[in-house]
Amino acid sequence: MTETAPTRAESLPVAPVRSGAIVLARHGEPALSRKIKLTSDGYRDWWGRYEVGGLLEGQTPPDCLVEQADHSVIYHSTRPRAIETARAVARGRPLIEDPIFIEAPLPPPNFPDWFRVGPRAWGVISRFWWWAFDHHGDGEESRDQAKARARQAADMLEARAAQGDDVLVLAHGFFNGMVGMELTRRGWRCTRDRGFQYWCGRKFEKR
């Protein structure tokens, strides 16, 4: 039997799909005031209210995020501040909500009641205790559990970007940073860094 020679189209190699970019952005400014001094118990209550609160009214998302959303698959966490941010940026585009992107916990250490500082300071203290000493209460996510979650999030984002889609994540500062570290470890390069402030993000591209 004589084999048929491949046509020119059949003999050409298939071009690989270019991996899309991944942008990890922080939500807008929350409505809950930080102009207050708190004990550790007070901060624990404040953080609980922060987790269920939305955004300060009157904010406008930056053009760079809106433009990124126009050509991206958009993910966001299940927290109200992330949901409202995604809706503001997406302008009616489809959204994918996933609890994998919620913020890593911020359980404060049990300092005496005479120690009172603002929520920003408590955030730094609590994050240090959680990261350095794995400080967390019963039922709260540990540092290693959060690292595993960041790896799972990176797996999901890489898989979507491998299809050629740009991906935009609207979530939270520290956990976004953990995902970014995992992407960097896997060979992704941060090609645009606008920091970790509200409405700001970092763009990662595959090397």
Side-chain angles (χ1 to χ4, degrees):
M1 179 181 294
T2 303
E3 295 184 3
T4 303
T7 65
R8 178 176 175 78
E10 290 173 337
S11 63
L12 292 175
V14 178
V17 177
R18 183 192 68 84
S19 179
I22 298 174
V23 177
L24 305 174
R26 192 182 181 193
H27 55 76
E29 182 178 357
L32 189 61
S33 174
R34 296 175 184 268
K35 297 178 181 179
I36 187 173
K37 301 292 185 182
L38 300 165
T39 64
S40 59
D41 286 341
Y43 178 70
R44 190 173 289 106
D45 175 71
W46 185 93
W47 177 255
R49 289 183 286 121
Y50 182 87
E51 284 281 75
V52 298
L55 296 183
L56 185 69
E57 293 182 359
Q59 298 180 68
T60 301
D63 291 341
C64 61
L65 271 186
V66 174
E67 292 167 2
Q68 183 68 49
D70 282 343
H71 57 81
S72 297
V73 177
I74 307 170
Y75 290 88
H76 63 84
S77 93
T78 55
R79 297 300 189 236
R81 59 193 186 278
I83 294 170
E84 293 179 19
T85 299
R87 289 173 179 170
V89 168
R91 300 188 299 184
R93 288 177 56 82
L95 299 172
I96 304 172
E97 180 176 298
D98 198 314
I100 199 170
F101 296 112
I102 64 172
E103 182 61 294
L106 273 174
N110 296 314
F111 286 3
D113 285 349
W114 58 260
F115 186 87
R116 292 172 177 261
V117 293
R120 291 186 188 279
W122 271 121
V124 173
I125 294 167
S126 300
R127 182 62 70 213
F128 175 77
W129 248 252
W130 179 79
W131 185 262
F133 307 123
D134 198 17
H135 170 75
H136 63 280
D138 292 340
E140 290 181 311
E141 187 177 44
S142 70
R143 179 193 59 212
D144 288 345
Q145 287 171 332
K147 286 182 177 180
R149 179 161 60 93
R151 290 192 292 270
Q152 292 170 359
D155 288 342
M156 182 171 68
L157 297 176
E158 276 195 310
R160 192 60 189 253
Q163 300 176 31
D165 296 321
D166 283 348
V167 181
L168 172 61
V169 178
L170 298 161
H172 310 275
F174 195 83
F175 190 72
N176 278 357
M178 294 180 69
V179 176
M181 286 190 292
E182 181 62 26
L183 291 174
T184 300
R185 190 184 68 80
R186 298 179 185 198
W188 290 74
R189 182 167 56 93
C190 183
T191 58
R192 187 181 68 211
D193 190 346
R194 300 187 186 277
F196 294 89
Q197 300 301 311
Y198 300 130
W199 300 106
C200 292
R202 296 182 300 150
K203 182 177 183 178
F204 292 85
E205 296 181 274
K206 194 70 172 179
R207 292 175 179 172

